[in-house]
Amino acid sequence: MPHAFRPLAIPATAGIGLRSPHIGEMLTRRPSAGWLEVHAENYMGDGAGVDALERLREIYPLSVHGVGLSLGSARGVDHDHLQRLRKVCERFQPDLVSEHLAWSVADGAYLNDLLPLRYDDEALEIVARNVEAVQDTLQRQVLIENLSAYVAFADSSMVEAQFLTELVARTGCGLLLDVNNVQVSAHNLQYDARAFIDTLPAEAIGEIHLAGHAINQVGTDTVLIDDHGSRVPPVVWTLYQHAIDRLGPRPTLIEWDTDVPVLDVLLGEAMWADMLTASIMFNQKQTARQNATTRACLVSTLFEGEARAGMPVLAAFAAAKAARATSVASPPLKERYHVAA
């Protein structure tokens, strides 16, 4: 049985990834932003950036996103790195903590990339053991993010969405649904992006990421690259709409790591995410009201028809209702007697 940690949460609004060019402006302007997310590895030491984050933490909800745990490593999670992450969490008390379903360490060498796993029972056992070690050390639930992929292992016995679902069941972890990563991987590996989202356990999804991607031509093939260097494209917005329509509002992050624009561009993308979510929820409520009205009319019609058809209970109820209406409309017996006299 997995250890049950209380899921933490950020308000189900849109936030932005905090990047160094924007720290000073965030402190002076204090713009309206739902929450902030930072990469854990950038705040494991001391310095002006760490001091600034302590001040911003008093203003905005905070999520810490790791990129270096290498949860797919067969040798286990690096103890020293995990302890540094623990200190970051103790220092800033983030509302969410997340990491990637990936590996990035081999024989003590850290690779500058997040690499995919083979999705089978052996890999699941390794990742589950590592996730449990992280959650036990941090004493909190961790969200695991789906990866952007460009190749896949031919001998995988399950797909990534099934792997993540099994991981949730084994460890009690949560999920970080990166919608852009789903689009990138689905295009590159030729699978159904919506089916991927629909396979994941909705209750486990504690955060969503949105970002842009690059489009590269390799011979006659088009390859999508998850570069976080542009606005969220229409195809990702459409997939996000599908996710929110199924899941309901979720904390949603605008990621932008290369060619970082001015702060207002990120805030504008976050505003669009909030507006789209609000529109989806409004439409759902309108549809629910219309359906409820339609159902009420159908029930009324069926009731009247069944009562006329002679169903004993319904007919009796209808007769009693009619009798009550008559007694209210008619004058008291004493008055009727005097009128008749």
Side-chain angles (χ1 to χ4, degrees):
M1 290 292 292
H3 190 113
F5 294 106
R6 180 176 61 89
L8 299 179
I10 274 174
T13 57
I16 62 172
L18 181 66
R19 301 297 175 256
S20 56
H22 303 144
I23 291 177
E25 191 174 359
M26 289 295 299
L27 285 169
T28 56
R29 277 180 56 189
R30 298 190 178 187
S32 178
W35 50 285
L36 303 177
E37 184 165 278
V38 298
H39 288 162
E41 286 73 13
N42 293 335
Y43 295 90
M44 289 181 171
D46 292 307
V50 174
D51 294 338
L53 185 60
E54 287 184 332
R55 293 163 61 190
L56 288 169
R57 180 66 180 100
E58 297 175 357
I59 306 169
Y60 301 99
L62 181 66
S63 173
V64 165
H65 188 49
V67 297
L69 277 179
S70 191
L71 294 175
S73 294
R75 293 188 177 183
V77 176
D78 182 272
H79 174 76
D80 293 336
H81 188 87
L82 180 55
Q83 290 304 313
R84 288 191 289 268
L85 177 60
R86 178 183 61 79
K87 290 178 181 178
V88 168
C89 292
E90 289 176 351
R91 184 170 192 171
F92 297 106
Q93 292 297 307
D95 299 288
L96 293 176
V97 178
S98 56
E99 248 292 353
H100 300 82
L101 181 64
W103 65 276
S104 56
V105 180
D107 295 328
Y110 280 80
L111 308 175
N112 191 28
D113 210 339
L114 297 168
L115 301 173
L117 308 172
R118 187 181 68 244
Y119 299 124
D120 60 16
D121 290 333
E122 182 181 2
L124 180 60
E125 183 68 30
I126 291 170
V127 176
R129 185 169 62 245
N130 290 340
V131 168
E132 287 174 344
V134 172
Q135 293 189 143
D136 288 342
T137 298
L138 302 183
Q139 285 296 292
R140 63 170 67 216
Q141 185 188 57
V142 174
L143 307 183
I144 307 303
E145 178 183 349
N146 58 290
L147 198 63
S148 56
Y150 311 95
V151 295
F153 287 88
D155 55 350
S156 288
S157 60
M158 62 184 87
V159 297
E160 184 185 15
Q162 293 172 315
F163 190 95
L164 286 166
T165 300
E166 286 295 322
L167 186 64
V168 169
R170 289 198 184 197
T171 68
C173 70
L175 296 178
L176 193 169
L177 172 61
D178 191 313
V179 175
N180 183 62
N181 286 359
V182 175
Q183 178 61 34
V184 167
S185 299
H187 172 87
N188 293 338
L189 304 182
Q190 294 297 292
Y191 62 76
D192 188 330
R194 293 190 176 200
F196 180 101
I197 293 173
D198 293 344
T199 299
L200 299 175
E203 68 281 358
I205 298 174
E207 183 181 342
I208 292 176
H209 276 185
L210 294 174
H213 56 255
I215 303 174
N216 287 13
Q217 283 300 131
V218 181
T220 59
D221 295 327
T222 301
V223 179
L224 303 185
I225 306 295
D226 179 37
D227 66 347
H228 298 177
S230 57
R231 292 179 182 271
V232 179
V235 66
V236 175
W237 282 123
T238 300
L239 194 56
Y240 177 64
Q241 180 178 2
H242 174 76
I244 295 300
D245 197 45
R246 175 181 179 248
L247 304 172
R250 290 292 192 277
T252 298
L253 182 82
I254 302 299
E255 282 192 298
W256 207 313
D257 294 309
T258 61
D259 296 326
V260 178
V262 297
L263 178 59
D264 284 340
V265 172
L266 272 70
L267 295 171
E269 293 286 274
M271 178 192 71
W272 283 117
D274 280 337
M275 290 177 65
L276 179 56
T277 297
S279 175
I280 292 167
M281 301 317 296
F282 176 80
N283 289 337
Q284 284 188 0
K285 288 180 180 178
Q286 290 294 93
T287 300
R289 290 194 190 99
Q290 292 169 2
N291 291 341
T293 301
T294 301
R295 285 195 298 271
C297 292
L298 286 172
V299 169
S300 177
T301 302
L302 288 170
F303 175 82
E304 292 173 0
E306 289 168 348
R308 286 195 296 269
M311 289 183 65
V313 174
L314 296 179
F317 184 85
K321 183 178 180 181
R324 285 197 301 273
T326 302
S327 67
V328 171
S330 301
L333 179 61
K334 187 176 181 179
E335 293 181 13
R336 281 187 283 144
Y337 174 80
H338 285 299
V339 169

